């Protein structure tokens, strides 16, 4: 049953005679996905090399025997698979993974047991019942250039340039990564493209709209999600799952892609054949969930 098997369901009272949620002081640790290097001279360089998720170091104190049995059952049943753990106090976010070490129980009193140091680790590429979707609180900004103004967007084809977005706040300068966008003033349809990578779940991008802009296609991991996004009008020719769009008045359009499993992902923007002569295309900052 995989992701649909939930260790600590919200309605546990209807099927269990004990509360399966772990005790307080259980630690949540994000994965270390980046290799960070510093040369003899100069600043730091980093690159994502793995797609590790979060891990929990869990503990239960003074448990009835029934929950000890449930923990051991989930450990043995999902050695080669995964199940869902819900962070009840952390906004109810779902984590899909498995216990990675043998649960060891200690009897603390008559009919009471404790388990400490049991590790739950997320399983990359796993399906989920409920994917992370809170861009306001779980979202992280990924600008087209880093603080050293090195491009994060791989400018692979076309005359792309990093520039200040016309919609940036007044007083913005080229030294402010949050104010920048990647822009191709004269794209070749089906040829000019740029991409950016990240490790995590879904992402969101807000495109400015304007009369001088053309039409783009948006891909995730080389799968076409949005076909014919007209940056002049905000019209879209075709949306493929799991992408969705929402207009922000007549000045911008937000694309949200939510139902994406944990992995190393690549977002690609390509000039569409309907772009038209003299129409530019752009790659804005990305908000992604990890």
């Amino acid at each position: 049953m995989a992701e649909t098997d939930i260790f600590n369901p919200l309605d546990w009272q209807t099927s269990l005679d004990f509360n399966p949620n772990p005790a307080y002081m259980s630690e949540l640790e994000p994965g270390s996905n980046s290799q960070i290097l510093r040369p003899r001279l100069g600043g730091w360089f980093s690159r994502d090399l793995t797609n590790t998720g979060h891990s929990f170091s869990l503990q239960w104190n003074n448990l009835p025997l029934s929950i000890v049995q449930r923990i051991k059952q989930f450990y043995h049943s999902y050695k080669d698979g995964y199940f869902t753990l819900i962070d009840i106090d952390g906004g109810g976010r779902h984590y899909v993974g498995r216990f990675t070490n043998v649960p060891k129980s200690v009897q603390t009193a008559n009919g009471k047991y404790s388990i400490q140091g049991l590790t739950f680790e997320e399983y990359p590429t796993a399906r989920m019942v409920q994917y992370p979707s809170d861009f306001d609180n779980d979202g992280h900004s990924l600008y087209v250039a880093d603080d050293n103004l090195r491009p994060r967007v791989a400018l692979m084809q076309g005359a792309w340039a990093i520039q200040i977005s016309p919609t940036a706040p007044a007083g913005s300068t080229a030294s402010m990564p949050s104010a920048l966008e990647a822009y191709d003033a004269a794209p070749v349809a089906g040829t000019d493209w740029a991409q950016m990578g990240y490790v995590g779940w879904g992402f969101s991008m807000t495109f400015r709209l304007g009369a001088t802009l053309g039409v783009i296609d948006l891909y995730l991991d080389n799968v076409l999600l949005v076909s014919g996004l007209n940056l002049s009008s905000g019209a879209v020719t075709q949306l493929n799952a799991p992408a969705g769009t929402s207009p922000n008045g007549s000045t911008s359009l937000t694309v949200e892609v939510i139902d994406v499993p944990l992995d190393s992902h690549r977002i690609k923007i390509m000039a569409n054949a309907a772009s038209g002569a003299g129409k530019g295309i752009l790659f804005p900052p990305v908000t992604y969930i990890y």
Side-chain angles (χ1 to χ4, degrees), residues 137-152:
N137 297 299
D138 277 346
H140 306 282
S141 296
L142 194 59
Y143 302 123
V144 297
D146 64 16
D147 288 346
N148 294 304
L149 303 181
R150 295 183 295 243
R152 283 199 181 107

Side-chain angles (χ1 to χ4, degrees), residues 164-213:
I164 302 174
S165 171
T167 61
S172 297
T173 68
S175 65
M176 300 176 180
S178 61
L180 304 179
E181 66 181 12
Y183 182 74
D184 185 345
V188 178
T191 299
D192 283 18
W193 57 275
Q195 69 178 11
M196 180 186 290
Y198 74 96
V199 173
W201 285 262
F203 70 91
S204 172
M205 303 175 76
T206 296
F207 294 87
R208 64 180 176 89
L209 303 179
T212 61
L213 298 176

Side-chain angles (χ1 to χ4, degrees), residues 15-265:
S15 57
L16 303 174
D17 59 359
F18 54 84
N19 185 347
N21 291 308
Y24 292 113
M25 300 302 292
S26 294
E27 298 178 357
L28 171 62
E29 180 181 356
S32 179
N33 292 307
S34 296
Q35 182 182 37
I36 302 176
L37 300 175
R38 184 183 183 277
R40 283 180 174 267
L41 299 173
W44 298 95
F45 291 86
S46 67
R47 177 176 294 179
D48 287 333
L49 297 177
T50 63
N51 61 353
T52 305
H54 301 83
S55 62
F56 288 85
S57 180
L58 302 170
Q59 59 178 303
W60 289 264
N61 302 318
N62 298 318
L63 306 173
L65 179 60
S66 53
I67 191 171
V68 173
Q69 293 170 330
R70 181 176 180 84
I71 292 170
K72 292 182 177 179
Q73 177 191 40
F74 270 73
Y75 168 74
H76 288 287
S77 298
Y78 298 94
K79 286 180 180 178
D80 299 321
Y82 46 83
F83 60 90
T84 295
L85 181 76
I86 301 177
D87 187 0
I88 304 295
D89 290 323
R93 176 167 166 172
H94 285 209
Y95 294 86
V96 174
R98 60 187 177 186
F99 297 134
T100 59
N101 59 312
V102 177
K104 300 178 181 179
S105 58
V106 176
Q107 188 168 8
T108 57
N110 184 29
K112 298 292 184 180
Y113 300 83
S114 289
I115 290 179
Q116 295 185 346
L118 179 60
T119 300
F120 173 90
E121 186 174 306
E122 286 190 287
Y123 193 112
T125 73
R127 303 179 305 272
M128 302 184 72
V129 174
Q130 179 178 306
Y131 289 83
S133 59
D134 188 354
F135 289 101
D136 291 333
N137 297 299
D138 277 346
H140 306 282
S141 296
L142 194 59
Y143 302 123
V144 297
D146 64 16
D147 288 346
N148 294 304
L149 303 181
R150 295 183 295 243
R152 283 199 181 107
V153 174
L155 308 180
M156 299 302 294
Q157 183 65 44
W160 291 88
I162 303 294
Q163 66 174 28
I164 302 174
S165 171
T167 61
S172 297
T173 68
S175 65
M176 300 176 180
S178 61
L180 304 179
E181 66 181 12
Y183 182 74
D184 185 345
V188 178
T191 299
D192 283 18
W193 57 275
Q195 69 178 11
M196 180 186 290
Y198 74 96
V199 173
W201 285 262
F203 70 91
S204 172
M205 303 175 76
T206 296
F207 294 87
R208 64 180 176 89
L209 303 179
T212 61
L213 298 176
V215 183
I216 62 169
D217 296 329
L218 187 150
Y219 296 78
L220 180 66
D221 303 329
N222 282 329
V223 176
L224 180 61
L225 297 184
V226 183
S227 176
L229 171 53
N230 190 319
L231 298 179
S232 293
S233 64
V236 175
T237 302
Q238 182 176 344
L239 281 176
N240 299 323
T245 60
S246 57
N248 308 308
S250 59
T251 59
S252 65
L253 179 81
T254 298
V255 176
E256 287 191 353
V257 181
I258 293 175
D259 293 350
V260 177
L262 168 64
D263 206 349
S264 175
H265 298 293

